[in-house]
Amino acid sequence: MNPGNELTPDATGRHLRWMRSLLVAVAIGVGAAPLAAQTSGQLSLGLTASGALVTDGVLRVTLRPTIAPTIGIAFAIPTGKGPYRALIEAHYARSSLHANDMDFGTTDNIGSLTTIDALIMAEGPVTGALRWQAGGGAIFYRPAENQGVFLDGPTRRWLLAGGVVWTHPLSPGMRLVVTGRVDSHTFTTDILQARNYAGTQGVQRFGLHVGVERIF
C-alpha cells in the first residue's frame, strides 16, 4: 500500500463526519419525498372580492358583485416529479349584485349572483411552508333571476388563476392550509353583445381561503 494514500485519524474523522452529514441529508430528502407524492383532499372557507363586471361610460354605471362568502373543495394529485403536485378545485360563492352610479354615488341592489369555478392548478415550492400555485379553468355565473345583463340566463367564461399557499401541520395526517388567490377573466353576455356593447370587460377576483388538508 502506498503510504501517501493512507488516511490519517483526522482525515478519517472528517470523512466519517461528511458521510454522516450526507446520510442525514439523504434521510431527510427520502422522508420529505413521500409528502410531495401523497394524494390529499382539501376543504376551505373564505371570501372572494370581484372587480366590476360591466362599466358603462355613457350611463356612468358599474355593475359589481359584493364580497362573497366562498366554500371550496380540492384534490391534490402527485405528478411524480419531485415536490410538484396537480390540484383539481371547485369553489362556490354567493353575493349580491350592485349597480353603482358613478356620478351620484348611489347603489342599487339588483339581486343575488352565484359563481362556481372549476380549476386545474399546478403547485410547487417557494420556501419553507410557502408554495406557489398557477393554472386556469372556467367560471360559471348563475343569477337568481334572468334580468339585466343576465337576461339570457347563466353564462360561462374562461379564467387564469395564480396564488400562494401556506401550510402548517395539525397532526400526522392533517394540515392547516391558507391560500391567497387572484384570477382574471373577460366578461360579456349574449344580451350585451346584442345591444352592441363593444369588447369585453376585464375582471379580476381576489380570494383568501382557510381550510384543512387531509393526507390519504
Side-chain angles (χ1 to χ4, degrees), residues 96-180:
S96 297
L97 192 59
H98 284 178
N100 305 298
D101 189 303
M102 292 184 285
D103 290 327
F104 297 97
T106 57
T107 299
D108 293 322
N109 186 341
I110 57 174
S112 62
L113 179 66
T114 296
T115 58
I116 301 171
D117 63 52
L119 302 168
I120 296 178
M121 305 291 289
E123 182 183 285
V126 177
T127 181
L130 195 65
R131 299 173 65 84
W132 59 263
Q133 294 181 341
I139 181 170
F140 302 85
Y141 284 93
R142 302 182 62 85
E145 297 182 20
N146 295 351
Q147 60 179 346
V149 300
F150 295 106
L151 187 61
D152 295 318
T155 189
R156 183 206 68 209
R157 308 299 297 172
W158 301 112
L159 59 79
L160 295 175
V164 293
V165 58
W166 176 83
T167 61
H168 180 74
L170 299 174
S171 69
M174 191 81 70
R175 288 184 290 195
L176 174 70
V177 180
V178 180
T179 304

Side-chain angles (χ1 to χ4, degrees), residues 26-90:
V26 171
I28 292 174
V30 171
L35 181 63
Q38 288 172 329
T39 301
S40 69
Q42 300 176 16
L43 182 65
S44 64
L45 296 173
L47 297 172
T48 301
S50 174
L53 304 181
V54 178
T55 301
D56 191 320
V58 177
L59 299 178
R60 303 289 292 167
V61 172
T62 62
L63 191 66
R64 183 192 302 268
T66 58
I67 294 177
T70 305
I71 184 170
I73 187 171
F75 294 95
I77 304 169
T79 64
K81 297 186 180 298
Y84 300 99
R85 306 193 301 175
L87 290 91
I88 301 173
E89 300 185 2

